């Protein structure tokens, strides 16, 4: 039969499948589904969504035929699933052909493709949820088809063996374990089956070996010798991984606010019930395949999309995605995720080196600038975002890997790489999820004291970086570079990323006690942020904006308390800016409102054509957020309000950059809640001296929690729908509101330094020089003088995962997966093309997008994710129990 005749015959079979109800399960006609198709395109292109939905929508079922069972698809759909799984089992457990040497690959792949095509349409049908749970995940029972000749229910039989009849009345008797478990075991076995995903082997009788060999595919972790997979083996393994990924994609048809709470039976079984041998072989095979792939071999083609059909690259893509789905999955009922646990137990240095080199190889592709004559070589690889997810997961669940990255100074390289992806995506509203993830990666690193200490290493060679992360005329350490980059994100995103402002400030907070010899430009930028956060327009725009000011002041105080004598430039700039800090001490609501009116009137008088800014109650101008206005009202007349606020000599001092456009919306109160978790109320209401008497461990990083290490919790991810520069009309500042936070700002240390400088003429040391400090001191602080109180304990701002935070995380990962699949499988060949996905609303919009590159696909997904996630309210600390349940370290 020719190719065209085969396609025509398969198309006719699809018509019959949808139009002829209750076809007998023991008919030889069913074999045509795993014999006729010659490629995956045949199955996907010839089986359109309308026919699939007609098959899953059983409107013709009679009450007699359904009984008390939940509504299911047409019986033909059930029979087809049984036939495909039975054939997969037969081909693996016995020689199913008259000639044992007949290749089985074609029939195995067709069974896999049939299930891959059908499952998403079962998942999208809400009315099939109960049937799907019973059919796949309850112990298997007998089935039947309608007897059209006698118009009655036919005899009971075993669905996987239609010729095996069952006794009447035994429809409720269990005959085997759940069908879904049996399917998953078969698929994982096929990933290690000789002659399919592994090279062919013969047994002692010179027949094809049917024994599953749990051999790791590639050399690397757990294996020193590759299995020698051919391109055909790689293509076969890729298609099985696609089906496993499709089985797991039940998450895509759930709302993001519940996705982390629902038991996804397929993932629960894989992560908790698979044998230890299967788990170790699978995780090592997937990891080694991903980490050993060298994208440099594809530098010749001018377009990465030209090689997306390469089986090796597709295998790497699906291996990475399926691995991440398994690792991230939050197993219900506090069960242990075997894959996450295995990842957390890696401990050999050579394994960490292998992982670090593989991740770096992918992430440095657009940063290295190796081949400037080939334009697309400088582009990020399509799976770079997923590789960032893998890196973050390793940091969170494996404390030994985290220590390896930090202690060996490889963290310096990752700082640059992570900042590159954050900077490259920060101006694109469609990819804000990537920016958030990059910030949380840096936050995870920043909770380690060693990370903060090693940031004092001079940053040499910054001029060779891409322009997006290059800082002109930069001189300083990695601490200077990190703080300056954070300042850039805060001041250039115009409030689009206000949800991660607390996380950005927490990074500065966590490293502040360890940074030394900050450059004058860096110190100026910190004061620049202070000016923005303390301006009347910013503080009065929202009832919780003062939390950001408090967080920044804590970081500034930490520098003074723990590294006073090694940061004399910073102290000098603080002293020269004394009017700004004294103005905040004298801040009043009425004075601030008057100040805003004055600034607004001055701008009108200058005919700047700038829309008026007022306070929430007076209609002042919100543009004052971007002016260097201080927060004090009456004394502000002595402080220049316009132009740059220069500190130091003109020849070595940068002007203060444009202050940040601050967050304004009511949703910022969620950030407030997260900040309250990071900074306990008791501490916030204490003086600096009293706070220093708290136990050292208060608020410290918890290594036992699997996902601690990011600050403030993802509660801050509830971005507002209104423009971030619009003033909230729901908030009216009052004197009581001001009194609730102004006296408790951590301003005492700074004011004391200013007062000391006025008394003595110059700032005098509050601590002994750092060189005199004990080299074994845990906090790297200098030994206090006898007449000075000891510095307060270092408090780290940590993060606890909640179910809604995991909803954001899962949404982002599946967005990457969907985008990659749409890029690799155009049109109707996509795994989930045309289905009604609930995790992110992109199905209809996606059809009108020209996907010229993987980046375009990710952008399309990211845009919808940003809109979808903006409606979520992430409660701070709400998921502490769930985070502990996912412990892997």
């Amino acid at each position: 039969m020719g190719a065209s005749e085969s396609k025509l015959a398969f198309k006719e079979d699809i018509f019959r499948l949808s139009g002829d109800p209750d076809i007998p399960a023991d008919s030889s006609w069913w074999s045509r589904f795993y014999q006729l198709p010659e490629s995956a395109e045949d199955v996907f292109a010839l089986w359109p969504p309308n026919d699939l939905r007609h098959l899953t929508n059983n409107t013709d079922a009679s009450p007699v035929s359904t009984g008390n069972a939940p509504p299911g698809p047409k019986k033909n759909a059930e029979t087809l699933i049984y036939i495909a799984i039975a054939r997969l089992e037969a081909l693996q457990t016995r020689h199913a052909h008259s000639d044992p040497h007949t290749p089985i690959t074609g029939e195995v792949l067709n069974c896999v493709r049939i299930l891959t095509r059908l499952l998403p349409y079962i998942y999208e049908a809400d009315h099939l949820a109960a049937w799907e749970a019973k059919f796949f995940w309850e112990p298997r029972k007998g089935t039947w088809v309608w007897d059209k000749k006698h118009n009655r229910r036919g005899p009971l039989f075993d669905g996987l063996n239609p010729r095996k009849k069952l006794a009447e009345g035994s429809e409720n008797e269990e005959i085997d374990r759940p069908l879904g478990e049996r399917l998953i075991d078969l698929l994982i076995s096929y990933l290690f089956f000789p002659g399919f995903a592994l090279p062919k082997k013969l047994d002692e009788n010179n027949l094809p070996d049917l024994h599953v060999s749990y051999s790791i595919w590639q050399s690397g972790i757990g294996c020193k010798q590759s299995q020698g997979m051919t391109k055909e083996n790689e293509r076969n393994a890729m298609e099985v991984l696609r089906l496993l990924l499709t089985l797991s994609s039940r998450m895509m048809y759930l709302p993001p606010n519940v996705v982390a709470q629902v038991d996804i039976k397929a993932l629960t079984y894989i992560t908790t019930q698979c044998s230890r041998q299967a788990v170790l072989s699978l995780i090592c095979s997937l990891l080694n395949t991903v980490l050993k792939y060298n994208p440099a071999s594809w530098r010749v083609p001018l377009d990465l999309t030209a090689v997306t059909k390469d089986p090796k690259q597709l295998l790497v893509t699906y291996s990475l995605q399926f691995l991440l789905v398994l690792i991230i999955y939050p197993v219900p009922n506090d069960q242990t995720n075997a894959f996450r646990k295995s990842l957390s137990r890696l401990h050999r240095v050579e394994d960490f080196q292998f992982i670090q080199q593989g991740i770096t190889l992918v992430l440095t592709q657009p940063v290295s600038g190796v081949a400037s004559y080939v334009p697309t070589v400088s582009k990020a690889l399509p799976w770079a975002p997923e590789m960032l997810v893998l890196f973050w997961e390793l940091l969170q669940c494996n404390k030994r890997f985290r220590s390896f990255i930090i202690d060996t100074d490889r963290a310096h390289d990752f700082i640059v790489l992570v900042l590159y992806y954050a900077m490259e995506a920060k101006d694109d509203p469609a990819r804000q999820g990537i920016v958030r993830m990059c910030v949380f990666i840096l936050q995870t690193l920043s909770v380690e004291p060693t990370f903060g200490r090693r940031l004092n290493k001079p940053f040499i060679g910054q001029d060779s970086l891409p322009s997006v992360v290059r800082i002109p005329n930069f001189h300083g350490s990695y601490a200077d570079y990190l703080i300056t980059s954070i300042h850039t994100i805060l001041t250039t995103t115009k409030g689009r990323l206000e949800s991660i402002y607390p996380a950005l400030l927490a990074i500065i907070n966590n490293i502040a006690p360890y940074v030394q010899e900050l450059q004058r430009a860096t110190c100026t930028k910190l004061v620049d942020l202070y000016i923005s956060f303390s301006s009347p327009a910013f503080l009065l725009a929202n009832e919780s904006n003062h939390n950001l000011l408090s967080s920044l002041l804590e970081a500034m105080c930490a520098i003074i308390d723990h590294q006073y004598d090694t940061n004399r430039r910073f102290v000098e700039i603080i002293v020269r800016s004394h009017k700004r800090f004294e103005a905040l001490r004298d801040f009043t609501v009425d004075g601030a409102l008057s100040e805003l009116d004055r600034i607004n009137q001055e701008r009108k008088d200058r005919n700047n054509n700038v829309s008026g800014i007022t306070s929430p109650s007076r209609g002042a101008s919100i543009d004052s957020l971007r002016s260097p206005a201080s927060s004090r009202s009456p004394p502000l007349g002595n402080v220049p309000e316009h132009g740059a606020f220069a500190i130091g000599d003109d020849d070595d001092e940068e002007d203060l950059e444009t202050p940040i456009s601050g967050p304004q919306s009511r949703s910022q109160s969620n950030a407030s809640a997260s900040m309250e978790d990071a900074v306990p109320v008791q501490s916030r209401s204490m003086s600096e001296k009293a706070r220093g008497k708290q136990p050292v461990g208060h608020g410290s990083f918890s290594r036992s929690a699997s996902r601690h290490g990011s600050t403030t919790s993802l509660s801050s991810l509830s971005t507002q729908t209104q423009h971030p520069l619009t003033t909230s009309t729901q908030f009216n500042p009052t004197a009581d509101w001001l009194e609730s936070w102004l006296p408790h700002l951590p301003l005492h240390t700074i004011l004391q330094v200013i007062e000391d400088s006025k008394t003595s003429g110059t700032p005098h040391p509050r601590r002994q020089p750092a060189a005199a400090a004990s080299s074994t001191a845990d906090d790297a602080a200098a030994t206090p003088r006898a007449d000075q109180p000891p510095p307060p304990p270092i408090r780290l701002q940590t993060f606890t995962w909640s179910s809604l935070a995991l909803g954001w995380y899962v949404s982002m990962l599946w967005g990457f997966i969907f985008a990659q699949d749409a890029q690799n499988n155009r049109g109707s060949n996509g795994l989930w093309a045309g289905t009604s996905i609930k995790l992110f609303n992109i199905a209809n919009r996606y059809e009108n997008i020209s996907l010229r590159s993987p980046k375009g696909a990710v952008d399309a997904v990211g845009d919808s994710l940003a809109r979808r996630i903006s409606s979520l309210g992430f409660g701070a600390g709400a998921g502490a129990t769930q985070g502990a349940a996912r412990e892997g370290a």
Side-chain angles (χ1 to χ4, degrees), residues 372-587:
S372 58
Y373 298 103
V374 183
T376 56
V377 169
S378 60
K379 291 184 179 180
L381 291 173
W383 59 91
E386 289 96 316
M387 196 64 85
L388 284 170
V389 176
L390 176 62
F391 179 60
W392 191 20
E393 287 299 308
L394 284 162
L395 290 177
Q396 292 177 87
C397 74
N398 195 313
K399 62 182 180 182
R400 299 181 189 91
F401 177 77
R402 186 168 62 241
S403 299
F404 169 80
I405 292 295
I406 295 174
D407 294 343
T408 58
D409 282 348
R410 288 174 173 86
H412 295 149
D413 296 332
F414 280 104
I415 290 173
V416 177
L417 292 174
V418 171
L419 283 174
Y420 168 82
Y421 286 95
M423 292 292 191
E424 198 265 340
K426 71 180 177 65
D427 295 325
D428 188 349
R431 295 190 293 160
Q432 289 187 4
I434 295 178
V435 184
R436 290 187 181 100
M437 178 174 59
C438 291
V439 170
F440 294 137
I441 290 173
L442 293 174
Q443 199 173 358
T444 303
L445 291 168
S446 71
V447 298
E448 295 289 346
T450 306
F451 177 81
R453 297 189 191 101
R454 291 184 179 272
L455 286 178
N456 295 310
K457 178 180 178 181
F459 191 171
I460 301 174
Q462 194 264 163
D463 291 338
S464 64
L465 297 177
S467 59
V468 70
V469 286
R470 189 188 314 136
I471 302 174
N473 303 317
F474 174 82
H475 301 285
S477 65
Y478 280 90
D480 291 291
Y481 182 78
L482 179 57
I483 294 174
T484 303
S485 299
I486 291 175
H487 175 273
T488 301
I489 296 175
L490 286 167
T491 58
T492 61
T493 52
K494 300 180 181 179
R496 289 189 303 269
L497 294 170
E498 66 168 287
S499 60
I500 57 172
Y501 286 176
L504 290 166
L505 294 177
I507 296 173
I508 300 178
N509 257 295
N510 290 338
I511 67 174
Y514 311 103
V515 296
Q516 300 175 0
E517 302 295 342
L518 288 178
Q519 297 299 303
R520 190 173 297 275
T522 307
C523 301
T524 302
K525 286 178 171 59
L526 288 174
V527 175
D528 172 46
L529 290 178
Y530 164 78
I531 293 172
S532 297
F533 287 139
S534 62
S535 67
F538 179 77
L539 290 174
L540 270 59
N542 185 276
E543 62 182 332
S544 60
N545 281 354
H546 60 84
N547 288 302
L548 298 177
L549 173 61
S550 178
S551 181
L552 179 62
L553 285 173
E554 285 190 6
M556 299 172 79
C557 290
I559 296 174
I560 295 174
D561 284 328
H562 297 276
Q563 296 294 339
Y564 182 95
D565 293 297
T566 61
N567 283 292
R568 301 309 295 271
R569 296 188 191 94
F570 179 71
V571 175
E572 176 188 352
I573 290 177
I574 289 290
V575 171
R576 293 196 180 191
S577 308
H578 66 93
K579 289 186 179 180
R580 302 285 183 176
F581 297 95
E582 292 168 347
L584 178 61
R585 178 188 57 191
D586 301 328
F587 186 91

Side-chain angles (χ1 to χ4, degrees), residues 596-614:
L596 292 176
D597 289 340
R598 182 186 67 80
I599 295 174
N600 184 49
Q601 186 60 44
E602 284 185 1
R603 291 187 176 181
K604 288 182 179 179
D605 294 341
R606 291 196 305 269
N607 295 321
N608 284 342
N609 296 322
V610 178
S611 59
I613 328 180
T614 62

Side-chain angles (χ1 to χ4, degrees), residues 52 135 240 304 341 344-345 375 382 411 418 551 730 768 803 829:
L52 286 159
F135 181 77
V240 173
L304 283 170
K341 181 178 180 181
S344 72
R345 290 191 169 183
V418 171
S551 181
Q730 303 178 8
Q768 290 183 7
S803 59
N829 290 330

